[in-house]
Amino acid sequence: MNAATELAKFAARLASAIGTSGMRALAQFNKHVINHAVRLWAGRVPHMAVIEHIGRRSGRTFKTPVMVFRSGQSVSVVLNYGVHSDWVQNVLEAGQARVEHRGRHYRLHSPELVAGDDDESPLPSGRRSATILRASIDTEKAPI
């Protein structure tokens, strides 16, 4: 198994162990502390990406590091913190975002939520309790 699969398995076990409220608390800690450092390298390494999205209320631009699995012209993002995360709601409402993955920039469009136990899930069977945001991507001509 590769490192991304192991990380996904660990995240699924952690989510099961601490529950929804614990994951939301962890998400808030990551949002204000950890993400600032992770954003510096997440867009350049395998199975990580930085999603740039516009706040649906504030209109501000945000950058959020995520774990991503790419397959052809689509990406799947494991939603360990649930579908109510601000960035998820922003992307779903806008219907698009920008993504930096492995040093390349993409336009993300047509996002949809799918069950983690979907046949095309990037997660190993037995660890598919998380919901996934799946979207199409196109290569951008100009960098972000």
Side-chain angles (χ1 to χ4, degrees), residues 6 36 42 50 56 68-69 71 74 77 101 105-106 110 116 126 131 144:
E6 290 299 321
H36 294 286
V50 175
R56 60 195 183 283
V68 68
F69 295 88
S71 176
S74 70
V77 181
H101 175 61
H105 298 92
Y106 302 93
S110 308
T131 302
I144 293 177

Side-chain angles (χ1 to χ4, degrees), residues 71 74 76 114-123 128 132 134:
S71 176
S74 70
S76 297
V114 296
D117 60 0
D118 179 77
D119 288 339
E120 297 176 31
S121 173
L123 296 175
R128 296 182 172 182
I132 293 172
R134 186 172 295 141

Side-chain angles (χ1 to χ4, degrees), residues 13-135:
R13 283 193 303 269
L14 179 64
S16 293
I18 67 175
T20 304
S21 61
M23 286 302 286
R24 292 305 314 148
L26 181 60
Q28 288 302 308
F29 175 76
N30 285 344
K31 179 178 179 178
H32 297 290
V33 179
I34 303 299
N35 286 359
H36 294 286
V38 174
R39 263 194 316 262
L40 297 174
W41 52 266
R44 294 185 293 277
V45 299
H47 303 297
M48 292 293 293
V50 175
I51 295 188
E52 183 179 313
H53 52 97
I54 307 297
R56 60 195 183 283
R57 291 188 211 108
S58 68
R60 291 179 42 208
T61 299
F62 296 94
K63 292 183 177 183
T64 304
V66 296
M67 184 188 332
V68 68
F69 295 88
R70 182 170 174 204
S71 176
Q73 289 303 109
S74 70
V75 293
S76 297
V77 181
V78 180
L79 304 180
N80 291 315
Y81 300 120
V83 299
H84 300 294
S85 296
D86 287 334
W87 78 265
V88 175
Q89 294 302 307
N90 291 342
V91 170
L92 289 172
E93 188 169 306
Q96 65 180 358
R98 298 169 106 179
V99 178
E100 181 184 5
H101 175 61
R102 298 190 80 165
R104 299 199 59 198
H105 298 92
Y106 302 93
R107 184 179 71 86
L108 179 148
H109 59 91
S110 308
E112 63 178 344
L113 298 176
V114 296
D117 60 0
D118 179 77
D119 288 339
E120 297 176 31
S121 173
L123 296 175
S125 60
R127 300 290 181 199
R128 296 182 172 182
S129 59
T131 302
I132 293 172
L133 183 134
R134 186 172 295 141

